[in-house]
Amino acid sequence: MQLNSWGMYPKIKHTSVTLDKNINQTIQEDKSFIPYGNGRSYGDSALAENIIYCKPYNYFLDFDEEKGVLHCQSGVLLSEIIEAFVPRGWFLKVTPGTKLITIGGAIASDIHGKNHHVEGCFSECVQEMRVMLSDGTIQTCQKGDELFKATCGGMGLTGVILDAKISLKKINSQYINQTTIKTKNLKETFEAFEKYSHLPYSVAWIDCLAKGEDIGKCLLMVGDFADDGDLNFKEKKKKTIPFNFPSFALNKLSVKAFNWLYYKKAPDGESQQKVDIDTFFYPLDAINNWNRIYGKGGFTQYQFILPKEKSYEGLEKILETIASSGKGSFLAVLKLYGKANENYLSFPMEGYSLALDFKIEPGLFELLDRLDEIVLEYGGRIYLTKDVRVSKETFEKGYPEIEKFRAFRKENAMSEKFASLQSKRVGI
């Protein structure tokens, strides 16, 4: 059976077993596995010849209404938590740009969102979790435990996350009071981020094909939950992309046209909107199979982060390189981050990250190699959850705790039992 990630690249043949009460016997078989959730990782971090399919392991186990602590199995989707708990006045403390990922995947990637500068990564709201190790035994871990630090951001390479207790956020509305700031260049963009850094949520769309004086122009969206008592949240009807777009549909001209229209739609200066949870946090989830717009060859998302003191100069150089290449992305997302945590392979550090989607085509990986060099020059690193091609050398230079992670895997016989295409490529 063929398996691929959300980026539809690469495609491999695989066999699968479902996470159930007999999984400890399967784990002890003489082969390696990687846990697989809802298939929304962009790259090859959840691809392997043998996968453990975790999505059906998806029950709510308990909820402490007073403390807002949810105990659930690892296959539960963020969307299922939102649908069940927003009407009760609770929301996720940390959420990425899609709600169609599992709790296990959120922990394994130590995902982050528009509020990292305030709340940090997903692991900050994980009180404890149970993990099945390479010998089939189950271990409970909490913050401070080495298993916790290795598993959060560990890309499924320490074991199978079975369930977790997570803290939710109390809210009193399904709406966000949003302010949109239209900037004219990178300097204005950075000034706007800092001006509104007191607000819990911020994210910017950047025109990555802009050049010269316009480089770094953006629409910055910031906001916080409203307090109107409206918790009548319901899933919206979705549109669907029914087939793969032809490969020529996305090109420099079409991306440039989209960027021009998207930027032009917002009024100059600042404007206010009241938008619902889906519009603010999950705009792409409104379209089923949106990955098909990149064609059957697939796409990759290139996401990097730079230290705060070097972010401006580094981003300017990277945007200039992308604009000169002509391989623009109409999904170019800039975010502000707070301090790094103690987890060995968590992506964020204090600074700014940029995420860009690129169609897989000739010359792309050569461009990304050049961007890698700039990222390392400015002390940054690449996000493994989105990656499908970074070299072992580039990866290692960005993650100073990698040797601790490797040693932990080796000491606990995890190296031979849990492996993905990505882990083999970057040597973890």
Side-chain angles (χ1 to χ4, degrees), residues 36 42 88 95 131 133 135 171 194 225 232 243 271 401:
Y36 185 97
Y42 285 65
R88 297 167 68 172
T95 178
V131 183
L133 305 178
D135 60 358
I171 59 172
E194 294 303 322
F225 276 92
N232 188 29
F243 53 81
S271 57
E401 302 292 326

Side-chain angles (χ1 to χ4, degrees), residues 307-365:
K308 196 167 188 180
E309 67 275 10
K310 298 181 180 179
S311 287
Y312 184 91
E313 186 180 349
L315 278 165
E316 186 175 44
K317 190 170 182 178
I318 284 173
L319 288 170
E320 287 173 350
T321 303
I322 294 170
S324 297
S325 75
K327 295 182 183 298
S329 165
F330 59 78
L331 291 173
V333 177
L334 183 67
K335 291 202 290 280
L336 172 66
Y337 291 71
K339 293 182 179 180
N341 60 33
E342 296 182 347
N343 302 330
Y344 294 153
L345 297 184
S346 286
F347 166 71
M349 65 173 74
E350 189 170 13
Y352 287 84
S353 89
L354 184 64
L356 309 111
D357 289 353
F358 292 102
K359 178 178 66 174
I360 302 291
E361 61 180 339
L364 173 62
F365 285 3

Side-chain angles (χ1 to χ4, degrees), residues 379-390:
R381 57 182 172 230
I382 309 299
Y383 191 19
L384 288 177
T385 298
K386 309 293 180 66
D387 171 63
V388 76
R389 36 63 56 191
V390 76

